[in-house]
């Protein structure tokens, strides 16, 4: 679906990689989150890492991972349409564990480090 198939409701977040907007699918009324990826000023379009991650998210289906419903481009910018979630992982982590101490950082970062150490740099099989 192109951008015209969505009605933007409100901006719900902005970060390093883009702006997230809550929107409604015009045909169904379903609420979704649209993340418009910031393009780098030096080049037009998404970089290779972003495209790889998008392709992986399109294939990934797990109850604990937000579903990527669609990806489209508009005026050279990549937009990712996700199921809408009322909170984010960082907020949940802060509420449960408080400030990110060096010990908590190691606990949370260790699984990612272990994957990288074992060569999990290409597409994982699920």
């Amino acid at each position: 679906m192109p951008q015209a198939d969505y009605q933007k409701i409100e901006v719900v977040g902005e970060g390093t990689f883009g702006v997230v907007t809550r929107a409604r699918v015009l045909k169904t009324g379903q609420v979704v989150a649209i993340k418009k990826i910031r393009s780098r000023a030096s080049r037009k379009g998404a970089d290779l890492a972003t495209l790889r991650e998008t392709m992986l998210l399109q294939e990934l289906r797990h109850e604990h991972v937000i579903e990527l419903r669609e990806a489209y481009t508009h005026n050279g910018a990549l937009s990712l349409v996700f199921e809408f979630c009322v909170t984010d992982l960082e907020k949940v982590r802060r509420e449960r564990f408080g400030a990110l101490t060096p010990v908590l950082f190691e606990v949370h970062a260790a699984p990612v480090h272990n994957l990288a150490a074992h060569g999990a740099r290409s597409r994982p099989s699920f």
Side-chain angles (χ1 to χ4, degrees), residues 3 15 20 40 43 46 55 65 76 85 94 101 103 113 115-116 119:
Q3 181 182 10
V20 179
R40 296 193 173 119
R43 58 184 138 157
M55 290 174 15
V65 178
C85 185
R94 267 194 323 269
T101 64
V103 172
H113 176 73
L115 285 173

Side-chain angles (χ1 to χ4, degrees), residues 45-87:
D47 63 25
L48 190 56
T50 301
L51 294 175
R52 277 192 205 124
E53 289 177 27
T54 301
M55 290 174 15
L56 178 62
L57 282 170
Q58 286 177 324
E59 296 176 13
L60 183 62
R61 297 289 179 262
H62 190 277
E63 64 180 330
H64 298 298
V65 178
I66 298 287
E67 180 185 349
L68 174 62
R69 304 256 169 100
E70 177 184 22
Y72 66 87
T73 58
H74 179 73
N75 293 335
L78 177 64
S79 292
L80 306 177
V81 181
F82 293 93
E83 65 178 306
F84 184 77
C85 185
V86 295
T87 190

Side-chain angles (χ1 to χ4, degrees), residues 6-26:
Y6 300 97
Q7 174 191 12
K8 291 184 179 180
I9 299 170
E10 66 180 330
V11 172
V12 294
E14 188 169 349
T16 304
F17 299 107
V19 177
V20 179
T21 304
R22 186 165 61 119
R24 184 177 325 282
V25 180
L26 293 176

